[in-house]
Amino acid sequence: MGLIEDKALVEAALFVSGRPLSIKELSRALGIKSQDYLEKLIELIAAEYAERKSAIEVVRVLGDKYVMQVRQEYSQRVIHLMPRPDLRTGELKTLALIAYLQPIEQSKLVKLRGSQAYEHIRKLLEMGLIYAEPYERTKLLGTTPKFAELYGFPENDPFMIKEAFKKVVHAEYADLIEKLEKGRTASENEQ
């Protein structure tokens, strides 16, 4: 393939993925061996979008990954048109608790939601809406930039997200929130 075809292929990959892709992922997926060449193609695509002042941009994120996204100044105006992930009610409830209580230990979330929470967490991780990082003998869970973008937050700011989810979670889980707050107060008094 030539330069024009390679550039079009990279642009197509960034468009259809809907998520940040590393140079290595692009290299494997597209069969383009030279990672330097791939980076140059991405820079060319990004420059073309910037030059025509497009609502779309190609940016480097998370260190070595690239994503095609709507520019910030347009994203808030069109966010309501974005497709929402296909989540069942239980998964949405688990996601709402993670968003409100983040970072929350997986073991505590399972106590609150029951053993079905493990399956919910697995799906939310696969969808890239939450992260899970090792913490003592469990994992800490929280929301990701993809979650923030999908649900209309300008950034993945846990405080902002907690405030937004406060009403939802308090209405759905008033009894659980009361238990959690009493548990926090008791453990703070012990210290």
Side-chain angles (χ1 to χ4, degrees), residues 10 14-15 17 19-23 26 39 41-50 54-73 145 149:
V10 171
L14 290 169
F15 177 79
S17 72
R19 65 180 176 84
L21 295 172
S22 70
I23 295 295
L26 281 166
E39 280 199 78
L41 291 173
I42 292 169
E43 289 170 9
L44 200 60
I45 295 164
E48 288 175 2
Y49 279 101
S54 173
I56 306 297
E57 65 183 350
V58 176
V59 293
R60 187 179 194 139
V61 294
L62 306 170
D64 73 332
K65 296 185 177 192
Y66 292 89
V67 67
M68 181 179 284
Q69 63 186 18
V70 175
R71 287 187 185 280
Q72 184 69 33
E73 60 265 32
E149 183 179 335

Side-chain angles (χ1 to χ4, degrees), residues 150-170:
L150 199 59
Y151 287 97
F153 295 97
E155 59 187 284
N156 191 36
D157 177 356
F159 180 75
M160 185 187 312
I161 293 169
K162 285 179 182 188
E163 286 301 307
F165 275 81
K166 186 180 271 185
K167 289 178 187 167
V168 175
V169 171
H170 276 264

Side-chain angles (χ1 to χ4, degrees), residues 119-157:
E119 185 60 29
H120 299 168
I121 292 165
R122 186 191 60 72
K123 182 168 184 182
L124 296 170
L125 283 167
E126 282 176 7
M127 295 176 79
L129 297 175
I130 64 168
Y131 69 83
E133 57 186 44
Y135 176 74
E136 295 178 358
R137 297 182 73 185
T138 185
K139 293 178 182 171
L140 277 182
L141 307 173
T143 58
T144 63
K146 182 176 180 179
F147 168 90
E149 183 179 335
L150 199 59
Y151 287 97
F153 295 97
E155 59 187 284
N156 191 36
D157 177 356

Side-chain angles (χ1 to χ4, degrees), residues 12 14 33 39 60 69 100 105 111 146 172 180 189:
L14 290 169
K33 301 287 184 239
E39 280 199 78
R60 187 179 194 139
Q69 63 186 18
Y100 179 65
E105 294 172 20
K111 284 179 186 172
K146 182 176 180 179
E172 184 70 35
L180 281 170
N189 288 339

